[in-house]
Amino acid sequence: SQQGEEDPQALSIQEGENATMNCSYKTSINNLQWYRQNSGRGLVHLILIRSNEREKHSGRLRVTLDTSKKSSSLLITASRAADTASYFCATDDASGTYKYIFGTGTRLKVLA
Amino acid sequence: SQTIHQWPATLVQPVGSPLSLECTVEGTSNPNLYWYRQAAGRGLQLLFYSVGIGQISSEVPQNLSASRPQDRQFILSSKKLLLSDSGFYLCAWSVVRGYTFGSGTRLTVV
C-alpha cells in the first residue's frame, strides 16, 4: 500500500530559484526520509527526520515535518541544473522492521 | 566501507524464461535486505525484505520469489517471467539512518 504521496508530481523552475516538494502520509511513523533519483539510477539518501523533530537542514536542503498533519516538505534553496532529478519521500510503519514505503515522487527539472 | 553490488545492470528476457537477480553487500553483518520494483515513471514498490538468512517476507503476491542463502546475499527469482514483470529492480540494505540502494537492474520482458 502507498504510504507517502508527493506533491506536486512534476515541478519546473529556473536555476537559482527555490524548489519545494511536499509529502503526505497516512499512519504513525518513527521517521521520514527523502531520497533523490537521477534518471535510470538507484536512489540516494538525502536526509532523515525523526518523528520528534520539526525541522532539519543539510546544505541547501531543508526538511520540515508536521506529525499532526502527517506531512513533510523538502526545500531545495538556490537550485542548480544538477538538482534535476526525481525526489521521493519514504516512511516507516513504526513496526521497527526498517521497512520503508515510498511515495510516487516529484520530478524536478531545473532550467539553466 | 559498506557497499552494495547489484547485477546485471540491464536484462532483456523472453516471456516464460527464468530470472535470477543477485545482490550482495559488503562491509556489514546481518543487514536487513530489500527488493523493490519501480515501474516506469512511478514510485517504488516493496517486493520482499529479509531480516536474516532464510527469512523472507513477501509484501505483494506476484510471480517472483526471493531467497537469502547467505548473510550478505539476496536473490530475486522467477520461474517464468511475465510481460508485467518488466521494470527497474532495486536492492537495498538498511541502517539506522536509512537505505543504501544498489544501482538497479532494468528488466525488459519481451
Side-chain angles (χ1 to χ4, degrees):
Chain A
S1 62
Q2 203 72 43
Q3 169 77 310
E5 295 288 342
E6 286 91 342
D7 167 58
Q9 290 187 336
L11 180 61
S12 185
I13 60 174
Q14 294 291 326
E15 203 166 30
E17 293 180 339
N18 295 341
T20 300
M21 290 159 269
N22 303 295
C23 169
S24 60
Y25 58 92
K26 297 175 183 175
T27 63
S28 297
I29 60 172
N30 288 322
N31 62 71
L32 182 146
Q33 303 173 47
W34 284 92
Y35 289 81
R36 165 193 167 128
Q37 183 182 35
N38 288 78
S39 180
R41 307 292 294 275
L43 279 74
V44 175
H45 181 267
L46 295 176
I47 197 166
L48 178 151
I49 186 165
R50 303 187 191 285
S51 60
N52 61 353
E53 298 176 309
R54 291 296 167 259
E55 188 171 311
K56 204 160 182 180
H57 297 257
S58 177
R60 293 184 296 113
L61 305 180
R62 172 177 170 254
V63 169
T64 62
L65 178 64
D66 187 334
T67 52
S68 66
K69 295 181 179 179
K70 291 186 169 58
S71 67
S72 173
S73 67
L74 170 66
L75 169 68
I76 304 175
T77 59
S79 63
R80 306 166 181 167
D83 294 328
T84 295
S86 291
Y87 292 82
F88 296 88
C89 69
T91 52
D92 70 333
D93 60 2
S95 66
T97 60
Y98 296 116
K99 185 176 65 175
Y100 285 86
I101 307 298
F102 284 78
T104 52
T106 292
R107 295 186 306 280
L108 173 66
K109 187 171 185 178
V110 181
L111 304 171
Chain B
S1 62
Q2 299 151 340
T3 57
I4 182 168
H5 302 280
Q6 188 180 342
W7 68 92
T10 59
L11 192 59
V12 179
Q13 292 284 102
V15 170
S17 64
L19 173 73
S20 180
L21 301 180
E22 188 164 343
C23 172
T24 59
V25 179
E26 294 179 0
T28 186
S29 296
N30 196 31
N32 289 347
L33 297 173
Y34 307 81
W35 279 109
Y36 281 85
R37 176 170 62 196
Q38 185 179 32
R42 305 292 299 278
L44 278 72
Q45 179 187 34
L46 179 61
L47 301 177
F48 301 95
Y49 72 97
S50 172
V51 298
I53 296 174
Q55 299 179 61
I56 309 294
S57 295
S58 175
E59 288 298 298
V60 293
Q62 59 208 315
N63 187 42
L64 302 167
S65 62
S67 62
R68 186 168 177 177
Q70 300 180 43
D71 181 44
R72 302 173 195 175
Q73 185 183 31
F74 204 22
I75 298 172
L76 183 69
S77 304
S78 174
K79 292 182 179 178
K80 289 185 178 181
L81 284 168
L82 305 172
L83 286 174
S84 58
D85 292 324
S86 293
F88 191 48
Y89 289 82
L90 289 156
C91 178
W93 68 280
S94 68
V95 291
V96 173
R97 70 163 184 83
Y99 284 162
T100 296
F101 280 90
S103 53
T105 295
R106 185 161 303 284
L107 171 66
T108 303
V109 182
V110 296

